[in-house]
Amino acid sequence: MVHPRPFRFHHMIDLIVRSLPARTLTVTAIAIAISAGITMTGMSMRATGQTLEPFIPPANSLSTGPKPGDASKDDTKPKRDFAEEMRKMVISLSRWAKSQRSDFSIVAMNGLDLTTFIEPGLFVTKSDAKPARNFIRALDGMLVEAPNYGRDGYNKENTDGEVKYDQQYLGRLSNTGMRFFMLDYTDKLENIRNSRARTKALDPLYYAAPPPDMQLAALAKVPATPLNENPFVIDTLHKARNFAMVVDSGPFGNKDAYVDALANTNYDILILDAFDRGTTPLTFDDIRKLRYKKLGTPRLLLAYIDIGTAQTYRYYWRNDWRAGSPSFISGASNNGRWGQENHVYYWDPQWQNIIFGNANSYVAGLMQLGFDGIVLDGINDYRWWIDQ
């Protein structure tokens, strides 16, 4: 779920890509045989995962969920630590994905608050912050929306307080080996230069998304060419020097125009939706075309996926679903691009099994289609639950 306002893929070996059949997949297959149940070739389905240290909550860990027995809370609200449940989901997703492909990248879109066990909204000293180590280790990168421009309106500079709040987290993450993606909503060169100067110490990949508003529905025109454009082979996040993110294909007219526009660029990383207009899946031929920069060398492809809401236009949605049926579907949200979205009990195994953990899951399909990783949106949806 890319909101109108913030708060809100080691390339495949060419021989492997060329061996994939050039067929168009159905919506319910997502190019991954989700509904057909096709077993993923060459990928062990053992959910062994990477070895992470046991999670032990620190002494000052604060629950962001309601406490059982608290008469001041709505009894109909789930009794959960919503922040910790989101951490657990991302950790489990990462462990499973990397048990299938160790080079599959997991990038969080926002979620800075979740990197420490402190109450969201607090300014704390470095000595006071207890890192959420397993959550941090589950991530290969983090994409920060509007670090300096666009949080409160396109081309509008963020307040000093907003900038400093993010910086307190980013400073603590600077030595984790994580790759940072900075996504501002501005098309003014002066703003771009200013934002890059502010975040220089993190050596981030930077992209200034164009208007309209914050829709991520077009390729940037400012600057005219990718920042730090280069001819090199890009097969890891850390080799990349730039990226672009376009997840709304609607303005391009049709899928072929969308794919052609993105393919005809020299960005090292492309972040895109695996479905045109959220409904028509990309094909193996599409991925093969997107795999190479205009100048001919390979790049990385990352798939955008929302793990915090169920979207009525996605392949997994059934006509008889509604709030409360199945039980993990909660209240509706009006932020969907091509249809309604519903908040979900993201800690529910039924929802998680749709997203990852088996050969028919969303993430498994993205792997089979040829993406190099995923960008997880919807992480900040834990805040919606807290506010209910």
Side-chain angles (χ1 to χ4, degrees):
M1 163 184 62
V2 176
H3 297 279
R5 295 179 61 183
F7 260 86
R8 330 243 225 231
F9 186 135
H10 190 324
H11 72 282
M12 292 289 288
I13 300 173
D14 190 38
L15 292 175
I16 296 178
V17 173
R18 293 177 182 276
S19 70
L20 295 173
R23 60 181 182 276
T24 301
L25 307 178
T26 64
V27 171
T28 54
I30 185 198
I32 62 173
I34 286 179
S35 61
I38 298 176
T39 301
M40 299 196 310
T41 303
M43 290 197 293
S44 167
M45 301 309 296
R46 295 176 297 132
T48 54
Q50 56 188 358
T51 301
L52 300 180
E53 65 181 23
F55 169 70
I56 303 175
N60 69 337
S61 177
L62 299 177
S63 172
T64 52
K67 307 296 191 299
D70 186 346
S72 66
K73 300 295 182 180
D74 184 351
D75 288 340
T76 63
K77 184 176 179 178
K79 305 299 189 291
R80 296 279 174 170
D81 181 334
F82 300 110
E84 184 58 20
E85 292 293 353
M86 183 58 77
R87 291 190 192 99
K88 289 178 179 179
M89 180 179 183
V90 173
I91 291 168
S92 295
L93 188 160
S94 178
R95 285 176 169 173
W96 181 81
K98 291 181 180 297
S99 76
Q100 313 308 306
R101 277 181 50 187
S102 61
D103 63 340
F104 195 74
S105 296
I106 309 297
V107 177
M109 187 169 181
N110 303 313
L112 284 172
D113 290 340
L114 298 179
T115 62
T116 58
F117 293 108
I118 57 175
E119 187 173 3
L122 294 182
F123 282 90
V124 296
T125 65
K126 186 173 183 179
S127 60
D128 290 333
K130 306 301 180 184
R133 292 187 177 90
N134 280 353
F135 178 73
I136 294 170
R137 290 172 179 172
L139 301 176
D140 299 289
M142 180 165 284
L143 188 153
V144 181
E145 273 190 293
N148 291 290
Y149 292 91
R151 187 158 299 178
D152 299 311
Y154 195 82
N155 269 329
K156 186 174 181 180
E157 186 172 9
N158 299 346
T159 66
D160 288 342
E162 290 172 322
V163 172
K164 290 178 180 178
Y165 180 73
D166 285 355
Q167 286 177 343
Q168 69 172 334
Y169 289 100
L170 292 169
R172 289 191 290 269
L173 295 171
S174 60
N175 62 350
T176 62
M178 193 181 295
R179 195 64 160 119
F180 295 100
F181 297 69
M182 298 296 170
L183 172 64
D184 272 321
Y185 294 99
T186 183
D187 59 356
K188 297 184 179 300
L189 279 174
E190 180 181 356
N191 294 347
I192 293 171
R193 294 190 186 103
N194 183 39
S195 186
R196 292 186 70 202
R198 290 182 182 179
T199 59
K200 183 178 180 180
L202 295 170
D203 187 30
L205 305 178
Y206 184 87
Y207 183 66
D213 200 19
M214 295 130 186
Q215 295 299 306
L216 297 172
L219 285 162
K221 295 181 179 180
V222 180
T225 58
L227 294 164
N228 299 317
E229 187 176 28
N230 70 88
F232 306 122
V233 172
I234 307 300
D235 53 9
T236 68
L237 295 184
H238 284 278
K239 289 184 180 179
R241 296 185 178 182
N242 52 68
F243 80 102
M245 184 172 184
V246 184
V247 298
D248 184 348
S249 59
F252 291 84
N254 57 58
K255 180 171 70 70
D256 289 342
Y258 175 55
V259 171
D260 287 345
L262 269 62
N264 195 36
T265 67
N266 284 325
Y267 289 103
D268 290 346
I269 297 177
L270 292 177
I271 301 173
L272 64 154
D273 198 315
F275 295 83
D276 174 46
R277 296 174 184 262
T279 60
T280 305
L282 302 184
T283 67
F284 292 108
D285 278 347
D286 294 330
I287 297 300
R288 184 181 293 111
K289 185 179 293 186
L290 291 164
R291 169 64 56 200
Y292 297 97
K293 293 185 277 188
K294 181 180 180 181
L295 50 76
T297 49
R299 60 178 155 207
L300 295 177
L301 303 175
L302 303 183
Y304 167 89
I305 177 173
D306 191 322
I307 64 173
T309 62
Q311 299 156 334
T312 61
Y313 48 87
R314 295 295 183 184
Y315 73 91
Y316 54 71
W317 187 271
R318 300 181 183 179
N319 290 334
D320 59 345
W321 283 13
R322 61 187 184 279
S325 179
S327 59
F328 61 85
I329 301 293
S330 185
S333 167
N334 295 320
N335 291 314
R337 289 177 176 276
W338 302 284
Q340 181 178 289
E341 298 177 337
N342 281 71
H343 296 285
V344 294
Y345 290 28
Y346 50 83
W347 54 87
D348 192 299
Q350 295 180 85
W351 172 247
Q352 295 190 10
N353 286 339
I354 290 174
I355 301 299
F356 69 95
N358 61 86
N360 297 327
S361 64
Y362 202 150
V363 175
L366 296 172
M367 287 182 177
Q368 188 179 24
L369 187 55
F371 281 94
D372 303 296
I374 49 179
V375 173
L376 302 175
D377 196 8
I379 287 180
N380 273 343
D381 265 44
Y382 80 90
R383 291 172 171 269
W384 180 85
W385 285 96
I386 294 173
D387 293 339
Q388 296 310 295

